[in-house]
Amino acid sequence: MILALTCAVAVGNIYFPQAVAPLVAAGLGTSPGRAAGIVTATQVGYTLGIFLLVPLGDRLPYRRLLVTLLAASGAALLAAALARDLTQLLAAGVLVGVTTTAAQLIGPMTVGLVAERRRGAVMGTLLSGSIGGMLLARTFGGALGERFGWRAPYWVAGLVVLCLAVVLARALPATGVSPAPRVPLRALPLRPLRLLCAEPELRRSGWYQASLFAGFSAMWVCLALLLTGPVYGYGPQALGLVALTGVVTMACTPIAGRFVDRLGPDRVNLVCFLATLAAAGVLALGARGGTTGLVALVLGTLVLDTAMQCGMVANQARFYALRGDSRSALNTAYMTCGYLGGSAGSWLGLQVHRHAGWPGVCVFLALLTLPVVDSARRVRAAKREVGFMPAARTSRRFH
């Protein structure tokens, strides 16, 4: 429960700025488009943190590393709450992203403690905690910010993270030292790059996740502009309420994990890409406004959230099976690809929205499902391979 809560809080710090960006614009006297840069800044920082800090999980004890990162994250959140202009807030947002990488350390630590046949289910369960934090963070950020101002979510988040750091320092066991303690610290940042070059399945997982997360980030950062703009005219709290419908995703990821354990990650990835393509078509109806448009936005975000998170379960199950002594480095390479895609997607989404509005963002989302071609080809190849295998060998494969 403590680790699940840690995932929720850490991931929530990445997503609640999406709901308060319009309030930041009003509070600091800047345009909504510029204020939305806080979302991109936090994601860029998170990508840097994954690349620079998560590999330390292959070298340092997990408890010490988790507590240190949480303490630094709490301090960065409080610094953001004290920002006097957008430049200071963007700098603090980068620091928040860099330090709130605790969830990316919990995954490799936990995978090493369970049998291989249960990894998909376990990753799905942990991801449910992360999804809960993501959903509640948007609601929390929008509601608290609308009532007390945009600084309030940063104050509350900072204090919660610092309290959690104290709890983890007392509750976590001192065990959990990395499986590869002899790796020199100076060599750790290069290990994810070397693994990315050496492992084709890791590259494929990173490519799939970067595509899905780019569309996911573009949609959510632009959805805030759509809901608070002239088409709907809602307050920032509306984004959090729409995000709450994604609570269904918390129940779907453990189920997806069991399907990954049973059928393999490729089939789950294919379904996720097709679902994302369908979500793009449904979300496009949101430009109409009114009740019809709002229902389309709710259904589309629900399908998109579920597809992105279930795809993550499939991708993680694929690359965690590669090397047992380098799970933190594997996760670093994968998540760096994913959040580079997310950062690029949020920035490109804003540019597309500026020139083509919400329909253009939906077309952009649809174009990002092009890896579905590769996924479908691999599923067909696997079916042909199974069809030519003797019955006994096929049985062992699926077992």
Side-chain angles (χ1 to χ4, degrees):
M1 291 300 296
I2 293 176
L3 293 178
L5 178 61
T6 303
C7 289
V9 172
V11 171
N13 292 335
I14 305 297
Y15 288 99
F16 81 78
Q18 293 177 350
V20 301
L23 295 173
V24 170
L28 296 180
T30 186
S31 67
R34 290 190 62 198
I38 185 61
V39 179
T40 302
T42 307
Q43 290 179 343
V44 169
Y46 195 58
T47 304
L48 291 174
I50 291 172
F51 183 75
L52 296 175
L53 300 180
V54 173
L56 294 176
D58 288 334
R59 181 65 175 81
L60 301 177
Y62 281 110
R63 183 176 69 175
R64 183 195 309 169
L65 190 54
L66 285 172
V67 171
T68 301
L69 287 177
L70 286 172
S73 180
L77 286 163
L78 297 181
L82 295 171
R84 292 176 293 180
D85 54 41
L86 184 60
T87 301
Q88 293 181 2
L89 181 59
L90 292 176
V94 172
L95 291 178
V96 170
V98 168
T99 55
T100 188
T101 52
Q104 304 309 324
L105 290 165
I106 292 174
M109 177 181 69
T110 308
V111 165
L113 303 177
V114 299
E116 183 177 356
R117 65 179 181 275
R118 295 191 60 243
R119 285 176 183 168
V122 170
M123 293 309 302
T125 302
L126 283 178
L127 192 55
S128 292
S130 299
I131 294 169
M134 178 181 65
L135 298 176
L136 294 176
R138 293 194 186 106
T139 305
F140 148 81
L144 196 62
E146 194 166 10
R147 186 174 181 84
F148 298 106
W150 69 266
R151 298 179 190 272
Y154 283 98
W155 281 112
V156 175
L159 294 175
V160 169
V161 170
L162 290 176
C163 291
L164 186 58
V166 174
V167 172
L168 284 176
R170 297 178 62 87
L172 284 182
T175 57
V177 180
S178 67
R182 295 182 181 179
V183 177
L185 287 175
R186 63 180 181 275
L188 287 176
L190 296 178
R191 295 188 72 216
L193 293 177
R194 291 171 179 168
L195 289 171
L196 199 60
C197 295
E199 299 289 349
E201 293 298 280
L202 176 60
R203 293 196 298 272
R204 183 155 67 95
S205 295
W207 173 35
Y208 286 1
Q209 185 60 25
S211 299
L212 284 175
F213 196 47
F216 175 87
S217 299
M219 188 279 297
W220 276 106
V221 73
C222 295
L223 182 61
L225 301 176
L226 177 66
L227 291 176
T228 58
V231 176
Y232 289 94
Y234 294 142
Q237 190 174 0
L239 183 67
L241 294 176
V242 171
L244 268 183
T245 61
V247 71
V248 177
T249 310
M250 296 178 63
C252 292
T253 50
I255 297 173
R258 290 192 287 271
F259 273 109
V260 170
D261 290 334
R262 181 181 177 185
L263 302 175
D266 285 330
R267 294 187 181 185
V268 176
N269 275 137
L270 177 58
V271 173
C272 292
F273 277 119
L274 293 175
T276 300
L277 186 60
V282 175
L283 286 167
L285 299 176
R288 295 182 176 182
T291 303
T292 301
L294 189 60
V295 170
L297 291 178
V298 170
L299 292 177
T301 54
L302 176 59
V303 174
L304 179 61
D305 283 13
T306 303
M308 199 277 291
Q309 302 294 354
C310 292
M312 180 178 288
V313 175
N315 291 324
Q316 287 178 323
R318 181 186 295 111
F319 73 77
Y320 274 138
L322 297 176
R323 301 193 185 190
D325 62 345
S326 303
R327 291 194 178 100
S328 290
L330 288 168
N331 193 49
T332 296
Y334 168 75
M335 294 306 297
T336 300
C337 292
Y339 275 92
L340 282 174
S343 301
S346 62
W347 184 83
L348 289 172
L350 288 172
Q351 310 312 309
V352 172
H353 186 272
R354 184 177 302 157
H355 294 93
W358 180 252
V361 175
C362 295
V363 172
F364 178 59
L365 173 61
L367 291 175
L368 289 171
T369 63
L370 286 177
V372 69
V373 177
D374 178 73
S375 182
R377 179 179 62 81
R378 291 178 181 274
V379 169
R380 288 196 300 269
K383 287 182 178 179
R384 288 196 298 268
E385 180 183 352
V386 171
F388 284 107
M389 292 170 66
R393 186 178 174 187
T394 302
S395 176
R396 285 197 302 270
R397 178 187 177 95
F398 278 98
H399 177 74

